[in-house]
Amino acid sequence: MLEVILDTETTGLSTTEKHRIVEIGCVELKNQIPTNNIFHEYLNPQRSVSEDAYKVHGYSEKFLSNKKTFSEIAESFLNFVKDKKIIIHNAPFDLSFLNYELKLIGKPEIKKKNVIDTLEIARQKYPGSQNSLDALCKRFNIDNSKRRKHSALVDCELLKEVYINLLDQK
């Protein structure tokens, strides 16, 4: 079975404020083993990056200004995730942004039934515990020292390890 670990970074926290995606990272797994097939793009959000978001990921408007827009990479992104289960930590957040971007260019949204939310799994397994990506890395002794700032691709690599540990713990 093919799966894709997916993460995004954004200009802010809400699509209702027209915040946009600035980075998409995807790591493909086959039977929970990385295939070395990745999808990664920094994106020009065509708007300002909030100060809070900049503090989280460190991507400035200047850095993003010469990157492709979502509409320019949408087809290759959709082809990458097509017919695969998508694994996301806190799926409602990333899905809201992905579906907002897809709606802006007239593409069908990604359906929740195609997504596995590792935050939901972690909350079921460890109710009342901290279940952030960092907390789960700590729980499973996963080295997250590369994660000084959020990065979609680094977070995908960490989530891949967390996901495998969550499945092994079932």
Side-chain angles (χ1 to χ4, degrees):
M1 175 170 73
L2 287 177
E3 298 171 309
V4 172
I5 306 285
L6 183 145
D7 188 49
T8 64
E9 298 301 333
T10 63
T11 61
L13 295 177
S14 172
T15 57
T16 57
E17 295 174 21
K18 298 187 175 13
H19 282 289
R20 308 279 303 267
I21 296 174
V22 297
E23 183 186 22
I24 299 176
C26 298
V27 174
E28 185 183 71
L29 305 178
K30 183 174 184 174
N31 302 319
Q32 299 157 17
I33 298 168
T35 64
N36 296 322
N37 194 8
I38 66 164
F39 179 90
H40 181 248
E41 291 283 352
Y42 295 106
L43 300 172
N44 179 343
Q46 301 174 297
R47 62 150 294 148
S48 62
V49 176
S50 74
E51 195 174 315
D52 288 341
Y54 178 76
K55 287 177 186 171
V56 170
H57 54 59
Y59 305 142
S60 67
E61 289 160 43
K62 184 179 182 197
F63 170 74
L64 298 168
S65 66
N66 65 349
K67 307 301 183 231
K68 294 176 184 173
T69 62
F70 184 85
S71 65
E72 291 175 295
I73 62 95
E75 284 302 320
S76 55
F77 166 72
L78 290 170
N79 286 333
F80 190 88
V81 300
K82 185 179 181 182
D83 300 327
K84 298 171 188 165
K85 270 290 182 204
I86 302 171
I87 317 305
I88 305 174
H89 195 73
N90 191 14
F93 179 83
D94 297 84
L95 270 184
S96 71
F97 278 91
L98 288 165
N99 287 334
Y100 176 67
E101 295 282 0
L102 291 166
K103 182 180 174 186
L104 289 175
I105 59 171
K107 297 278 186 194
E109 67 178 26
I110 295 169
K111 303 282 188 233
K112 175 77 174 103
K113 68 179 175 83
N114 296 328
V115 175
I116 295 170
D117 188 345
T118 53
L119 182 57
E120 281 180 18
I121 296 170
R123 283 177 175 159
Q124 288 170 359
K125 294 179 76 135
Y126 310 111
S129 295
Q130 282 288 322
N131 288 306
S132 67
L133 189 56
D134 284 331
L136 290 168
C137 285
K138 188 173 183 177
R139 174 183 293 278
F140 297 127
N141 295 314
I142 296 165
D143 179 7
N144 65 347
S145 59
K146 284 193 254 176
R147 191 181 197 230
R148 287 175 189 74
K149 293 222 180 249
H150 287 231
S151 152
L153 210 48
V154 169
D155 289 0
C156 282
E157 292 295 333
L158 294 173
L159 182 55
K160 170 189 70 176
E161 299 299 323
V162 165
Y163 175 59
I164 290 166
N165 275 278
L166 283 170
L167 293 181
D168 283 349
Q169 302 291 313
K170 281 189 177 173

